[in-house]
Amino acid sequence: AARVLRTIGDATIRFDEDHLRILRAVRFAARLELRIDAELEQAARTLAPQLRAISAERVWMELERILAPPTRTCGWALLADWNIVDHIVEGWSPSDEQRRRICATFSALPPVEVQAHLIPAVLFADGSRSEVEARCRALRLSNVVTAAALWLIQSRNFLGDAEAVSLADLKLLMAGPDWPGLLAFLRADWIARRRGLEALDRVVRSDG
């Protein structure tokens, strides 16, 4: 009734019983737009490093539930503010600028549920192919999700100079696994990087 997220009993004890509850707290707070009890927040910040002991499959399940819905920006803000992001993907600790870029990209995506592969594409967009593959493996993502995320990132890189891309190249991309998702990702990524969208108009016109 008070719209406040709190645990039953001591928050530290509750999170110690199952550290994945930290991510569930983020999910509930974001999706239900709840204020957060101070004790719960402090316990989550303190125990966030324990998430490294949770199986990657369980972590990804919660991440997808946090970052796929339209409330993803709020979810990401909590993950970053509580420094949970440093403890959920082995070998990945995004810089302050990367965190800002990820938040801005999530904010610029359409306000609808997104497909799973768009999440790692946004999170790992600054990485090389080998880095993206390693981070997807660390999260135990399926080959299908990994391949689709890589395709989005590589296609984004290819379209970096959209004016120089031929119509034939665009038609190949349109026949790819997720052309609508690529356009949404490209637009959000360019907004996040404060890049003008004029060149994107040509790509959209080609789609029409």
Side-chain angles (χ1 to χ4, degrees):
R3 307 292 297 168
V4 177
L5 182 68
R6 56 171 58 92
T7 59
I8 298 174
D10 188 281
T12 299
I13 294 175
R14 294 288 83 80
F15 288 154
D16 253 338
E17 291 171 346
D18 182 358
H19 297 117
L20 197 67
R21 288 175 179 167
I22 296 171
L23 291 179
R24 290 182 183 140
V26 171
R27 171 160 59 94
F28 294 150
R31 296 189 71 167
L32 301 177
E33 299 181 331
L34 303 176
R35 291 184 293 114
I36 299 163
D37 177 71
E39 180 187 336
L40 183 153
E41 178 179 344
Q42 183 56 51
R45 289 177 180 272
T46 300
L47 295 174
Q50 302 304 319
L51 285 167
R52 294 173 178 172
I54 300 292
S55 70
E57 292 86 351
R58 296 179 71 205
V59 169
W60 167 246
M61 185 180 296
E62 287 300 324
L63 283 180
E64 185 177 358
R65 291 172 176 173
I66 292 168
L67 299 175
T71 53
R72 65 186 70 88
T73 306
C74 180
W76 171 258
L78 290 173
L79 292 173
D81 183 50
W82 295 357
N83 207 35
I84 292 172
V85 294
D86 281 345
H87 310 294
I88 53 177
V89 183
E90 184 180 354
W92 184 59
S93 179
S95 66
D96 290 344
E97 175 56 26
Q98 287 173 324
R99 295 181 190 207
R100 183 212 64 79
R101 191 268 307 161
I102 291 168
C103 184
T105 306
F106 279 140
S107 297
L109 287 172
V112 297
E113 186 104 1
V114 299
Q115 296 188 62
H117 59 265
L118 191 55
I119 297 170
V122 172
L123 295 179
F124 309 139
D126 294 329
S128 65
R129 180 186 179 92
S130 61
E131 289 172 333
V132 174
E133 289 176 333
R135 292 162 187 169
C136 288
R137 282 197 303 272
L139 278 173
R140 302 293 191 272
L141 302 188
S142 70
N143 291 337
V144 172
V145 170
T146 299
L150 278 168
W151 181 81
L152 286 177
I153 295 172
Q154 291 172 332
S155 299
R156 185 280 313 267
N157 295 341
F158 179 71
L159 289 169
D161 184 5
E163 293 294 345
V165 177
S166 69
L167 182 58
D169 290 329
L170 285 175
K171 287 182 177 179
L172 286 176
L173 290 176
M174 291 176 196
D178 185 16
W179 174 247
L182 175 58
L183 287 180
F185 174 52
L186 191 65
R187 180 180 182 278
D189 183 79
W190 283 11
I191 289 174
R193 297 177 193 277
R194 302 185 178 98
R195 177 177 176 180
L197 298 178
E198 295 80 7
L200 187 58
D201 290 341
R202 175 173 176 266
V203 176
V204 175
R205 288 196 302 271
S206 299
D207 184 26

